[in-house]
């Protein structure tokens, strides 16, 4: 099961959401030879906005791997302007979802491609190629499977209402995936998993970014059928999310918001878990609750590009199962 430490150039499949996932995917992209990384991306956040098909996580991964993302936010384009938004404000119809002027071009091309009968996979390939991206970026599905949240304060909310409009402050009492049971993982994604030497679950939000991928028909089975290691990097450091609602949500849904909760959440799927040095004290407990799980303790906060590369390198060199 272990990835051989001699296998220096493995084919890696990474499952990712947006900003957190894109950071590790970027580190992997920078150290693997071109063609050796496939990123399977969450589309549960996709939505229609003023007639445009927006795929926030695909865009974040594309812009990050294309090295044109806004470094301050992690999403959107570096140096983008918001003149269209300002004009909308002028008309008194400004939406709560801001789209940059250059960013709009991505949504125009995607929407037009989909209208002309291309799949989301095909349009994503076209956009990635135009951005000079050497890695394969794949939507997890070409079907629709939207994440929706039941909240105490506002009832059922579409994902972007919860995340952007209400800045993930409402209390979540349940999450569902509209289209679950029908939406299926793409053949391209399945093929990449079948040919992978290693599967990495990026430090994306387990409930909002990874679960919508795992819920797709055929996905969990494909990962479970693999004969190669699958590892996850914890998005929680010392019980806290680096950004966003992961810890808050896990608490609201009675899951343990800690590395123990992450290990439990991914039980049966992962062979190894990378946790932060700040969680070193949890190792003994982790060995009790998940005795078969390999553990790797390191600094997991990715503040610079060097951090991303270092972490990706450590994961690739890790002799999973050898501890
Ligand atoms: P989103 O869709 O843009 O919210 O992005 P993701 O779901 O991919 O990532 C959000 C998660 O990434 C959060 O739970 C963060 O805690 C986690 N995250 C972000 N940056 C880092 C980091 O540098 N290290 C670790 N370990 N987790 C991170």
């Amino acid at each position: 099961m272990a990835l051989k430490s001699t296998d220096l150039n493995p084919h890696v499949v990474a499952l990712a959401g947006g900003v957190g996932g894109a950071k590790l995917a970027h580190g992997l992209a920078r150290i693997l030879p071109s063609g050796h990384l496939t990123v399977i991306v969450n589309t549960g956040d996709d939505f229609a906005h003023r007639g445009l098909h927006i795929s926030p996580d695909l865009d974040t991964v594309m812009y990050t791997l294309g090295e044109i993302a806004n470094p301050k936010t992690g999403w959107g384009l570096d140096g983008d302007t918001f003149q269209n938004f300002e004009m909308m404000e002028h008309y008194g119809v400004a939406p709560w979802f801001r789209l940059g002027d250059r960013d709009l071009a991505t949504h125009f091309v995607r929407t037009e491609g989909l209208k002309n009968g291309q799949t989301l996979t095909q349009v994503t390939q076209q956009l990635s190629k135009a951005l000079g991206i050497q890695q394969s970026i794949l939507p997890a599905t070409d079907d629709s499977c939207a994440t929706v949240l039941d909240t105490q304060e506002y009832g059922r909310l579409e994902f972007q209402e919860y995340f952007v409009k209400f800045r993930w402050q409402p209390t979540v009492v349940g999450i569902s995936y509209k289209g679950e049971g029908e939406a299926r993982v793409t053949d391209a994604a399945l093929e990449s998993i079948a040919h992978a030497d290693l599967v990495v679950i990026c430090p994306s939000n387990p409930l909002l970014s990874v679960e919508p991928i795992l819920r797709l028909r055929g996905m969990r089975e494909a990962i479970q059928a693999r004969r190669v290691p699958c590892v996850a990097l914890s998005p929680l450091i010392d019980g806290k999310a680096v950004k966003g609602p992961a810890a808050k949500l896990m608490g609201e849904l009675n899951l343990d918001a800690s590395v123990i909760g992450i290990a439990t959440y991914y039980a049966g799927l992962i062979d190894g878990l990378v946790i932060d040095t700040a969680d070193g004290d949890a190792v003994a407990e982790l060995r009790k609750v998940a005795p078969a799980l390999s553990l790797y303790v390191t600094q997991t906060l990715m503040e610079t590009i060097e951090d991303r590369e270092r972490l990706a390198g450590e994961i690739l060199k890790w002799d999973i199962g050898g501890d």
Side-chain angles (χ1 to χ4, degrees):
M1 200 63 166
L3 182 73
K4 293 187 289 299
S5 49
T6 47
D7 191 358
L8 289 175
N9 290 319
H11 283 88
V12 177
V13 166
L15 308 191
V19 176
K23 285 199 219 172
L24 183 63
H26 186 215
L28 289 164
R30 285 177 64 97
I31 62 170
L32 285 165
S34 75
H36 282 238
L37 175 67
T38 300
V39 192
I40 299 177
V41 183
N42 170 41
T43 56
D45 308 4
D46 286 22
F47 69 116
H49 178 67
R50 299 212 189 273
L52 297 174
H53 181 110
I54 320 273
S55 298
D57 287 354
L58 276 171
D59 290 344
T60 296
V61 172
M62 268 190 337
Y63 296 161
T64 305
L65 265 54
E67 307 202 326
I68 51 172
N70 180 337
K72 286 199 197 86
T73 55
W75 50 267
L77 284 158
D78 193 16
D80 210 352
T81 52
F82 289 85
Q83 293 191 31
N84 85 81
F85 183 82
E86 285 155 22
M87 195 62 183
M88 298 286 269
E89 274 187 317
H90 193 74
Y91 287 131
V93 291
W96 41 265
F97 197 87
R98 278 160 57 101
L99 295 171
D101 297 324
R102 286 164 61 224
D103 188 30
L104 270 174
T106 306
H107 313 309
F108 288 144
V109 174
R110 175 183 294 120
T111 306
E112 208 168 272
L114 293 173
K115 273 199 186 131
N116 290 339
Q118 281 183 283
T119 62
L120 188 58
T121 299
Q122 289 167 332
V123 190
T124 306
Q125 268 164 358
Q126 179 192 337
L127 291 165
S128 301
K129 193 167 167 222
L131 293 174
I133 297 168
Q134 308 284 319
Q135 298 76 24
S136 178
I137 300 176
L138 300 174
T141 182
D142 284 328
D143 303 326
S144 166
C145 190
T147 304
V148 286
L149 300 107
D150 289 313
T151 67
Q152 220 160 55
E153 296 85 346
Y154 305 99
R156 181 159 284 198
L157 294 177
E158 302 287 322
F159 181 85
Q160 298 299 341
E161 282 182 303
Y162 163 76
F163 202 79
V164 180
K165 187 173 178 186
F166 292 110
R167 297 171 195 276
W168 49 269
Q169 292 312 302
T171 308
V172 172
V173 294
I175 304 178
S176 37
Y177 306 91
K178 224 165 50 184
E180 186 185 350
E182 282 170 33
R184 52 181 292 277
V185 64
T186 65
D187 290 340
L190 287 177
E191 209 167 300
S192 70
I193 294 169
H195 293 106
D197 298 305
L198 176 69
V199 177
V200 178
I201 301 181
C202 289
S204 290
N205 187 314
L207 295 156
L208 300 182
S209 293
V210 182
E211 190 65 33
I213 302 178
L214 298 176
R215 289 281 171 124
L216 296 168
R217 266 178 54 201
M219 189 62 186
R220 208 169 249 279
E221 296 80 349
I223 298 184
Q224 276 162 344
R226 82 202 183 280
R227 307 173 73 87
V228 299
C230 174
V231 300
L233 171 59
S234 173
L236 300 184
I237 300 178
D238 194 20
K240 292 184 268 307
V242 176
K243 157 195 168 294
K248 176 176 177 287
L249 258 184
M250 288 180 81
E252 287 165 354
L253 296 173
N254 297 320
L255 301 167
D256 184 357
S258 71
V259 287
I260 311 281
I262 298 291
T264 310
Y265 195 82
Y266 290 135
L269 210 58
I270 57 171
D271 308 297
L273 179 66
V274 182
I275 63 170
D276 196 87
T277 41
D279 290 302
D281 288 352
V283 167
E285 183 64 17
L286 277 167
R287 295 225 188 276
K288 265 194 240 154
V289 298
L293 190 66
S294 284
L295 299 173
Y296 188 91
V297 186
T298 187
Q299 288 194 357
T300 68
L301 188 61
M302 294 172 278
E303 290 180 306
T304 62
I305 290 186
E306 290 71 32
D307 291 337
R308 298 176 187 185
E309 289 180 357
R310 183 213 14 101
L311 195 51
E314 286 184 48
I315 291 172
L316 294 186
K317 287 195 201 106
W318 180 16
D319 181 18
I320 304 146
D323 57 339

